[in-house]
Structures are given as C-alpha cells and as structure tokens.
Amino acid sequence: MANPNSAATDDELIAAAADGSDVAFASLVDRHADAAFRAAWLVLRDTDDARDAVQEAIISIHRSLYRFRRGEPFRPWLLRIVGNRARNHLRAAGRRGRATGRAAAEPMRAAASPSPEAMALHLERRQAVLAAIEELGRDDRVVIGARYFAELSEAETAALLGVARGTVKSRLSRARARLREQLTRAGVEVTDA
Amino acid sequence: MHDRRLDDAALDRLLADASHGFAFPPTPTFALPARRASASRRLVVALALGILVALAAASVAAGALGIGPLRVIFTDQPPEQLAPPASASRLALGRLTTLMDPAIGVPLLAPPDLDVPQAYVSADGARASLVWGSTAELPPAGASNIGLLVMAISGDMDRAWLEKLVDAGLVTIEDVTVRGEPGLWIHGPHVLRFRHAGADGDEASRLVGDALVWSDGTTLYRVESGLGRDATIALADGMMPVRR
C-alpha cells in the first residue's frame, strides 16, 4: 500500500514539516534517505560513520527547514549538509587518503549476478573496474562514485563536495584520466557491445 | 599484455556496466526528531522520544521501552487519511508461504490450540506473519476479516523498522507485561508502516486496530486481535514456539 504522502512534492512536504508535521518530515527523509546515505558512504567508506553523518544532517535539517528557500531543489541542499557532516567526521578522525591504523575502508563491491555462469566474464570485468577505482585517490573515488554509482547530478555532486560545478567537471575529467590509465595497465578489455 | 587505449566512449561503457552491478551497503534506519505541539494544535510529538534519542546515539535496537525496531509517532492526521481500511487481500504481509519455508528468518510464536494458520514472509525473510480468519472465538480485528495476526520482525535495526502513526485523540497506549517482557497495548485505529532497508526497500502501510507489541530482545512481536487487552495478553502469554 503506497504512502499517501508519496504524491506530494518536496516543497509540499517541507511546508508541512516546517509547520509541524512529523509525518511529512518522515516522508521527506524516506524519499531522500538512500541518496543521502550513499553519498555519505562514498565519502567515508564506513557504514557506521556514514549513518552517523546522515543522522546529524537530518537533525540539522529539521532545525533549519524554516530557512529553506521554497522552489529550490531540496536534494542538493540535503547533500551539502551531508557532505559537510561527512567531512567533519573525516577531520575528526584525522584521516587523509585511505584509512590507516584501523580497519580498512569498506570496499566497493559488485552485486551478485543472477546468472553467474552466463555473466562470469562480465562480472570479472566489473570487479576489475571496481578494483581500479579502489586504487585511485579519495577525491577521484568520490567524484566517480557520486556521478556514476550514486547517479547524482553535477549540481548534487557539487553540493556534496562543497565545490563549484566547474570544479566537479575538472575533478571528474582528471579522475577519468587516472582511471583510464589504471584500466589500461590492468589490461581490461573493452568490447563494442 | 594488452595495450589498448580506452577512449571516452569505452570508459563510459565500463563505468555504466560497473554501476549496474554496484552494491551500496543497505541504507539504515534514521531516527526522526519531533516538535513540541502548541496548545492550540493537536499533538504532533513522537512518543517515547527516548527511543529515538537512544537510536540516534547508540544505534542499538533497545530503546526506552525496549521495543526493538519500533517507533510510535503521534500525528494530527486522521488515520483514514494515512491509509484506507485493509482487506484480507491488501494486508501487505509479503508472500504467502508455509510454516516450513526456510526463507522465514525469524522465530515464530503461535497459540497451541488453533488451526494451522496462513503464513506470510517478506522478501528478505526478516518479517513473517501468521494469520487466522475470524471465527466465533476470534472476533474480527480492526477493519479486516482477520481473527488473529501474529507478526515476528527481526530486531536488527539495519534491516527492518516499524512505525505506528497514532492520533492522540483516538488511541491510547498502555505499558503492559507480555511473557515477562515490557510491551505496549495500543488501543484504537492507527496506521502501521513497515519497511525493510536495502536496495529493494519495501514499504507498506495499512490501517490496523488494537495491537499488542513486545520484544524478547532479538525479535519484535505484534499481535492484532479483536479480543481486547486482557485476553490478547493471555493469548500471547500462552503462545508456543513454532517448531520448523
């Protein structure tokens, strides 16, 4: 049975939530929880830290709803706050680059194929691509993950990273170049299919 | 070793293919802050805020009432606006199955002296429900033709959660003891919403009547019946584990 709030726009939910409706705020969180968590995870590569960062962002947003400019897209605003919280976590942990001195960052994983026999080669290539991404620096991994895996728009990625859209373009271009080098060195073959 | 340059189009294809098979960790449940209502409005306050704070701070299943992955939210919207009345075909309990289905991943309880119930299981096995139709001994529960519904939900917070959306003017909530554990008796029409976190997150909500809720520390149990509080608690106290 569908949530009756599912037809409401973000603006309508924000207006209702700002007016005191906890149900509307819950619906708003539900709608954007996946995007927020995945974005935080891309930055932090740790489920618990990502959950904490998003939880803090939710509390912050709840307090700031009255300030949100209606008519503007909500998700970039959310992702900006999530990105800030995630970077706060990084700074607090004193992390730079990959995690050291503690458990390694959670790796990017390919989902299981429904037909492993038929997809064996395909899966192997996917794993190789993900392994090559793992070898990149943090900033490269995050911008590639945001644009290709979390499917954030350029504006949303810019909000998450706290940079201008032009910066996202240039970071992505450099990240792709470095990934290309990794994949070529790894001998990843590409078909035209 | 191959030394084949990857042009932009080829790289795009590789990344697009990788994204199709990429698996993020399941999205966890997030606690929601609530506002204090003004005197001129009906209450919009989260019940048991201690549960929400405990969840936010420690991310553990046990809250102030020890009711696992349950949160109760007061709303000023009439329950009928949140979900239409349920019918037997729209219970949103999951897949009809058998008691022996290995996909059921939670321990089941049932009264020992009733007929074999219908069994339902959610897609990930974290929620299972046993349903008996209404009879002379089991009057209808809520607005459906269910006589008794016993639901078991995994207490793992990252997998499943429940919300009960209750109108403060229509529903009373009472602390009770069930099978030696703290529980809640929720009397009056309210909306039950449940979902499982994950890539294929499943959410459903329906209008329900009286319900008894308790947790044994690892599993949350819900019982819907039309028997009233004392009889429902007695029924729950006498339930036995279903051997599978």
Side-chain angles (χ1 to χ4, degrees):
Chain A
M1 194 174 299
N3 184 329
N5 278 324
S6 64
T9 64
D10 281 355
D11 265 357
E12 287 166 348
L13 291 177
I14 291 167
D19 201 33
S21 169
D22 285 340
V23 174
F25 187 71
S27 295
L28 192 65
V29 171
D30 280 356
R31 182 176 292 179
H32 297 282
D34 280 346
F37 174 73
R38 290 173 180 183
W41 186 85
L42 283 172
V43 175
L44 291 164
R45 302 295 290 283
D46 183 276
T47 297
D48 290 339
D49 287 349
R51 178 178 50 204
D52 289 346
V54 175
Q55 185 67 73
E56 291 164 14
I58 288 172
I59 293 171
S60 174
I61 283 165
H62 189 258
R63 291 192 194 122
S64 317
L65 272 179
Y66 70 94
R67 289 202 304 236
F68 180 72
R69 192 178 305 170
R70 309 292 161 80
E72 294 290 323
F74 174 74
R75 187 169 285 191
W77 185 57
L78 166 68
L79 291 175
R80 183 173 303 114
I81 296 173
V82 167
N84 287 339
R85 296 292 176 174
R87 284 188 290 279
N88 286 346
H89 275 260
L90 284 178
R91 279 191 287 271
R95 296 178 205 166
R96 289 296 179 267
R98 295 182 185 281
T100 57
R102 48 165 286 172
E106 294 165 10
M108 292 182 165
R109 272 192 299 271
S113 163
S115 177
E117 292 80 12
M119 295 285 289
L121 187 60
H122 215 153
L123 186 60
E124 191 179 313
R125 190 170 66 195
R126 279 181 186 171
Q127 297 281 20
V129 172
L130 293 176
I133 294 174
E134 286 289 290
E135 293 301 314
L136 300 175
R138 177 192 296 277
D139 287 350
D140 288 348
R141 290 201 312 270
V142 172
V143 72
I144 285 179
R147 293 289 282 135
Y148 290 99
F149 298 156
E151 297 183 328
L152 301 185
S153 69
E154 198 172 79
E156 289 167 347
T157 303
L160 172 68
L161 300 180
V163 301
R165 287 178 67 164
T167 305
V168 171
K169 279 190 170 66
S170 56
R171 281 194 190 180
L172 186 61
S173 176
R174 287 196 297 271
R176 284 168 57 96
R178 287 190 271 265
L179 179 60
R180 183 183 287 116
E181 286 170 20
Q182 294 276 21
L183 291 171
T184 302
R185 272 201 297 274
V188 173
E189 292 197 352
V190 180
T191 67
D192 291 330
Chain B
M1 174 185 288
H2 298 275
D3 185 23
R4 181 175 166 176
R5 288 286 175 192
L6 290 168
D7 59 18
D8 280 346
L11 186 58
D12 283 342
R13 285 199 298 276
L14 284 174
L15 285 167
D17 178 72
S19 73
H20 292 320
F22 181 72
F24 281 96
T27 301
T29 303
F30 297 108
L32 301 177
R35 298 179 194 280
R36 191 171 297 280
S38 64
S40 62
R41 293 177 56 85
R42 302 180 76 179
L43 291 178
V44 184
V45 176
L47 175 70
L49 190 61
I51 291 179
L52 301 181
V53 172
L55 292 174
S59 299
V60 295
L65 296 180
I67 311 294
L70 167 71
R71 54 190 174 190
V72 181
I73 297 176
F74 284 109
T75 171
D76 60 357
Q77 290 177 268
E80 291 78 12
Q81 286 186 10
L82 293 170
S87 66
S89 63
R90 300 182 68 196
L91 293 178
L93 297 175
R95 174 175 56 87
L96 182 63
T97 182
T98 66
L99 290 174
M100 298 299 124
D101 188 344
I104 295 176
V106 284
L108 298 173
L109 296 174
D113 52 351
L114 295 182
D115 290 340
V116 177
Q118 288 188 320
Y120 295 83
V121 65
S122 62
D124 66 353
R127 172 167 52 88
S129 303
L130 304 180
V131 181
W132 292 261
S134 59
T135 64
E137 289 77 29
L138 293 175
S144 67
N145 59 358
I146 307 166
L148 179 68
L149 186 153
V150 181
M151 182 183 289
I153 303 138
S154 168
D156 183 346
M157 280 301 299
D158 286 339
R159 297 180 67 197
W161 53 258
L162 288 187
E163 256 185 11
K164 285 186 179 277
L165 305 170
V166 304
D167 183 317
L170 297 178
V171 170
T172 58
I173 300 178
E174 183 181 353
D175 289 342
V176 294
T177 299
V178 186
R179 303 171 68 87
E181 304 284 350
L184 298 175
W185 171 249
I186 301 164
H187 173 60
H190 59 283
V191 173
L192 173 68
R193 186 163 77 186
F194 47 86
R195 69 180 281 192
H196 294 269
D200 61 343
D202 164 39
E203 176 178 346
S205 60
R206 62 186 175 96
L207 186 65
V208 300
D210 298 350
L212 178 68
V213 181
W214 78 96
S215 170
D216 67 0
T218 57
T219 304
L220 178 76
Y221 292 97
R222 281 188 69 254
V223 175
E224 293 177 38
S225 88
L227 293 170
R229 185 194 67 181
D230 292 345
T232 302
I233 292 175
L235 192 73
D237 282 346
M239 286 186 189
M240 303 291 288
V242 174
R243 296 187 192 283
R244 305 189 305 115

